[in-house]
Amino acid sequence: MLFFKQIIGRTGEQEAARFLKKKGLKIVQMNYKNQIGEIDIIAKENGMYVFVEVKTRTSTDYGFPAQAVDYKKQRKIINVAKTYLKNAYNESMRFDVIEVYMDKVSRKITAINHIENAFGE
């Protein structure tokens, strides 16, 4: 059984993937996991790998969603991405964050903010 936070998170990831597709990105994989950690969405745009962290919130009481992607989380995502691309040589990549805002009662998406190249090495 999924808990409320998990439902919110999954819904946000699905909406983020739809958003990226509308922008012309190709979704390569969702919820990629390895021994280091997880990446919410792996996409490609013009031959570049785009590793996306999705943060969904029903309020900004504890800050904006992207603020949850702190240095430690960024390092983990970068290391997961490097492992993912370990056999791919000379592949370009970037790291994006997508903030998804959702109404707590209706569970409808109220806004999506795509922060391209949000962090890097």
Side-chain angles (χ1 to χ4, degrees), residues 6 10 14 44 52 65 69 74 95 110-111 113-114:
Q6 291 171 312
R10 287 222 177 134
Q14 292 166 352
K44 279 195 104 171
V52 183
V69 187
Q74 291 173 16
F95 299 93
T110 58
N113 181 33
H114 182 192

Side-chain angles (χ1 to χ4, degrees), residues 13 31-43 49-55 65-86 93-98 115 117-121:
E13 289 170 2
N31 304 112
Y32 170 77
K33 293 178 187 173
N34 66 21
Q35 67 278 11
I36 300 168
E38 179 182 358
I39 295 178
D40 295 329
I41 300 172
I42 300 172
Y49 278 95
V50 181
F51 297 93
V52 183
E53 177 69 10
V54 180
K55 291 295 180 189
Q67 291 175 304
V69 187
D70 60 11
Y71 180 77
K72 184 178 177 183
K73 180 73 172 171
Q74 291 173 16
R75 297 308 317 154
K76 184 178 259 194
I77 293 167
I78 289 167
N79 288 328
V80 173
K82 284 181 175 179
T83 302
Y84 179 81
L85 292 176
K86 71 180 175 194
M93 64 178 144
R94 77 169 194 247
F95 299 93
D96 294 2
V97 174
I98 294 184
I115 305 165
N117 219 13
F119 59 91
E121 290 193 80

Side-chain angles (χ1 to χ4, degrees), residues 1-2 10 13 25 27-28 30 34 37 47-48 53 55 71-72 76 91 95 99 103 108 115:
M1 179 173 172
L2 292 177
R10 287 222 177 134
E13 289 170 2
L25 282 78
I27 304 302
V28 176
M30 302 265 309
N34 66 21
M48 176 184 292
E53 177 69 10
K55 291 295 180 189
Y71 180 77
K72 184 178 177 183
K76 184 178 259 194
E91 291 288 346
F95 299 93
E99 299 177 314
D103 181 79
K108 290 187 179 181
I115 305 165

Side-chain angles (χ1 to χ4, degrees), residues 51-69:
F51 297 93
V52 183
E53 177 69 10
V54 180
K55 291 295 180 189
T56 306
R57 298 290 185 268
T58 56
S59 77
T60 55
D61 292 348
Y62 299 102
F64 293 101
Q67 291 175 304
V69 187

